[in-house]
Amino acid sequence: MGNGISGGDEYFWLAGRNSGNGRGNFARRDPEKVAFATRGDTIVGMIKPEKYITRVSDKYFVSENERFLYVKFELVLPDRINYQAGQYVSFKINEQGERRCYSIASTPDDHHGFHILAEMVVGGKGSDFLKNIKLGEEVEVLAPLGRFVVQKNQKTKESENQSKLLFVATGSGIVPIYAMINDLLINK
């Protein structure tokens, strides 16, 4: 078993697999819209992914060579989302149900939308999809996804834990790190 999302309207998620040593990571469904993942002996609560209909509210290139595209989405249905900095969304990019995933670049304090920053890849299906969507167009997403988030260390005070964080990222890994740092500076 690996990480995955099924097709159609039935979704599942696996955050990893149990390696047999009793310390593996796994996630299971919960009827109350919360997934519980274990990290060693610690249970970590995560928001259960949902299907959202979003509307493109703004989009622009952040570089002159049009290599990086910033896109803002507002929620249509449901109209509220809860996520953690570092998580990502999965876009349905065509009628065949193909999906592409992008890290959320905005901070979680905006519960009525999110932003992404995507590197444009020549011939990439996700890149072509994002380049061609129009302002006001509705897009289906599955969110929030992922466990790459800043966890509060239960053994120290939150302020001590945050002062000891070191972020290192390159390439597409910069987007979730950018969201985490902004969230820590603005909201924590």
Side-chain angles (χ1 to χ4, degrees):
M1 295 205 165
N3 295 341
I5 300 170
S6 70
D9 290 329
E10 292 296 317
Y11 299 105
F12 69 91
W13 65 98
L14 295 173
R17 64 183 179 129
N18 191 334
S19 61
N21 62 9
R23 298 185 57 82
N25 297 325
F26 65 94
R28 64 181 183 270
R29 282 192 179 273
D30 184 89
E32 299 298 321
K33 294 191 176 192
V34 176
F36 291 96
T38 62
R39 189 169 286 136
D41 296 328
T42 306
I43 296 177
V44 180
M46 303 294 284
I47 305 298
K48 181 179 173 181
E50 292 184 57
K51 183 168 78 172
Y52 291 86
I53 302 300
T54 64
R55 182 177 297 120
V56 178
S57 60
D58 197 10
K59 77 179 217 181
Y60 52 88
F61 287 100
V62 296
S63 58
E64 288 184 23
N65 64 0
E66 298 188 351
R67 184 173 176 193
F68 299 98
L69 182 65
Y70 197 83
V71 187
K72 297 180 181 183
F73 295 89
E74 61 185 34
L75 298 179
V76 176
L77 191 63
D79 64 354
R80 188 168 179 81
I81 186 170
N82 291 307
Y83 62 90
Q84 296 178 54
Q87 290 190 295
Y88 64 95
V89 296
S90 174
F91 290 92
K92 182 178 174 185
I93 63 167
N94 59 34
E95 292 305 315
Q96 291 75 35
E98 287 184 276
R99 295 188 164 274
R100 293 296 182 270
C101 299
Y102 292 93
S103 294
I104 300 172
S106 51
T107 57
D109 53 327
D110 178 5
H111 298 286
H112 301 287
F114 59 88
H115 310 164
I116 64 163
L117 176 64
E119 182 175 2
M120 297 294 98
V121 176
V122 176
K125 289 182 179 182
S127 296
D128 290 342
F129 169 76
L130 291 172
K131 276 193 258 185
N132 294 325
I133 57 176
K134 308 286 186 242
L135 292 180
E137 188 171 335
E138 291 188 353
V139 179
E140 179 186 310
V141 300
L142 181 64
L145 298 163
R147 297 184 310 141
F148 183 56
V149 297
V150 175
Q151 296 292 329
K152 180 179 173 184
N153 186 339
Q154 296 176 358
K155 295 180 184 176
T156 64
K157 289 188 259 178
E158 185 174 292
S159 60
E160 290 176 13
N161 182 41
Q162 290 176 356
S163 67
K164 295 179 183 179
L165 294 175
L166 172 67
F167 295 95
V168 179
T170 62
S172 63
I174 290 173
V175 175
I177 297 294
Y178 172 82
M180 288 177 196
I181 292 171
N182 278 335
D183 185 42
L184 289 170
L185 292 173
I186 295 169
N187 300 315
K188 305 280 191 280

